[in-house]
Amino acid sequence: MVFLSAPKWLRSRLTDRFWRVQEVLKYARHFRGRKNRCYKLAVRSVRRAFVKSTKARREKKRFLRALWITRIEAASLEHGLKYPSFISNLLKSQVELNRKVIADLAIYEPKTFKSLAALAQRRRQEGFLAALGDGKEPEGIFSRIVHHY
Amino acid sequence: VAKTSLTSPPWPEVRLPDPVEEAKHHAEVVRKVNAMIAAGQYGRLFAVVHFASKQWKITSEDLIMMDNVLQAECGDRIRMEKVLLVGADDFTLIGRPLLGKELVRVEATVIEKTESWPKINMRFRKRHNYQRKKIIVHPQTVLRINTIQIFPCLS
């Protein structure tokens, strides 16, 4: 016989509530207080934890770059250069190392970092000389002292 | 004429060394480094390599993991060509921006191609009944750097 509708005594009941709850609680097991045991509190905490981790993954890149810049600045100040001049002179000398690698070199390869700092310093001085020019005045301009009587 | 505060400019005077002497000094340094490389008087070499749009500071026998797929099977040997810097204890070769291919040779082997652990992306707006949860699993490749070799062809 084909039944077109189900009888009244047949109910559809939730049988895996335990596992659905455990799916959320497993992410909350290391939390503090009742939110590692009670589902209602855990749901809220776990949701906030996921959202915070999503946002933190984007901010980690900014944070790490700031950390590298701080380290490079400290290391270049040890060699008598400031960070902006160090980086700009390295780029002008066509050395394209990124900040992560320069920070690692500053920690683990001090001699290499010293040579990079010397390269940047030399390029800086060459830039100064190029900017100063010959030291002569431009043509067609004369200067005379004005007397006010 | 007496020296006043305006006789010389306020910035320190910069003098570069004599170009002829400098050229001689440079040639001698290059010759010495070439001799050292030819004689093999260096310990462990490290290199800075540009690979998979990232720069890595690598030595021999170390592992690298990248967040993408490589078109190479497990066990394939790979030569990394974009080398930015090579250094040993006594000398460093800095490329502007890259070093020549006949100067350095970096070899690596593909060890493992897996997927990352499932990362959860969740967006939530309070009081608006809006939440989206997405599980992201992206492929990873593990390489082992076998050797870094340098050849004495500096000029």
Side-chain angles (χ1 to χ4, degrees), chain B residues 49-84:
Chain B
V49 149
H50 184 283
F51 195 67
S53 77
K54 286 179 271 294
Q55 294 182 8
W56 310 81
K57 178 191 165 291
I58 53 179
T59 32
S60 45
E61 316 157 21
D62 70 354
L63 285 171
I64 280 188
M65 183 163 80
M66 52 202 61
D67 269 344
N68 54 12
V69 156
L70 269 181
Q71 307 296 333
E73 303 306 312
C74 289
D76 282 356
R77 283 190 79 100
I78 288 182
R79 185 195 168 177
M80 298 194 190
E81 297 191 340
K82 294 186 205 167
V83 180
L84 295 151

Side-chain angles (χ1 to χ4, degrees), chain A residues 86-98 102 116 119-120 123 126, chain B residues 55 83-85 94-99:
Chain A
F86 178 70
I87 290 281
S88 59
N89 291 118
L90 268 194
L91 281 175
K92 287 174 195 169
S93 333
Q94 295 155 322
V95 173
E96 272 158 42
L97 296 164
N98 64 3
I102 302 181
L116 283 174
L119 177 68
R123 176 66 185 74
E126 287 178 5
Chain B
Q55 294 182 8
V83 180
L84 295 151
L85 218 188
I94 305 177
R96 301 167 79 137
L98 294 176
L99 289 170

Side-chain angles (χ1 to χ4, degrees), chain A residues 3-140:
Chain A
F3 292 107
L4 291 172
S5 55
K8 226 164 57 168
W9 48 264
L10 206 67
R11 300 187 294 156
S12 94
R13 306 182 64 211
L14 196 62
T15 43
D16 59 349
R17 187 173 282 123
F18 170 76
W19 291 280
R20 291 191 194 189
V21 158
Q22 288 305 305
E23 253 180 35
V24 169
L25 283 178
K26 81 176 180 216
Y27 289 109
R29 284 306 179 201
H30 63 277
F31 289 174
R32 199 187 209 207
R34 265 195 280 182
K35 44 191 201 274
N36 60 22
R37 298 184 289 279
C38 311
Y39 179 73
K40 214 168 169 181
L41 308 172
V43 158
R44 300 197 275 257
S45 291
V46 162
R47 191 188 294 148
R48 280 173 71 77
F50 285 160
V51 167
K52 282 179 197 245
S53 75
T54 331
K55 291 190 189 157
R57 244 177 272 138
R58 300 175 53 193
E59 302 200 346
K60 180 179 174 183
K61 304 163 181 49
R62 299 177 212 172
F63 167 73
L64 278 181
R65 185 171 162 126
L67 178 70
W68 296 327
I69 290 180
T70 318
R71 289 186 175 171
I72 298 174
E73 186 161 6
S76 61
L77 283 172
E78 281 178 9
H79 293 286
L81 267 178
K82 295 192 198 166
Y83 172 82
S85 55
F86 178 70
I87 290 281
S88 59
N89 291 118
L90 268 194
L91 281 175
K92 287 174 195 169
S93 333
Q94 295 155 322
V95 173
E96 272 158 42
L97 296 164
N98 64 3
R99 284 140 181 87
K100 170 178 107 171
V101 148
I102 302 181
D104 289 341
L105 290 178
I107 298 173
Y108 294 111
E109 319 276 347
K111 297 187 205 170
T112 310
F113 189 82
K114 185 170 180 183
S115 60
L116 283 174
L119 177 68
Q121 179 75 340
R122 173 57 190 262
R123 176 66 185 74
R124 188 169 184 237
Q125 286 166 347
E126 287 178 5
F128 288 158
L129 281 183
L132 283 173
D134 297 326
K136 296 184 202 133
E137 297 207 0
E139 299 169 4

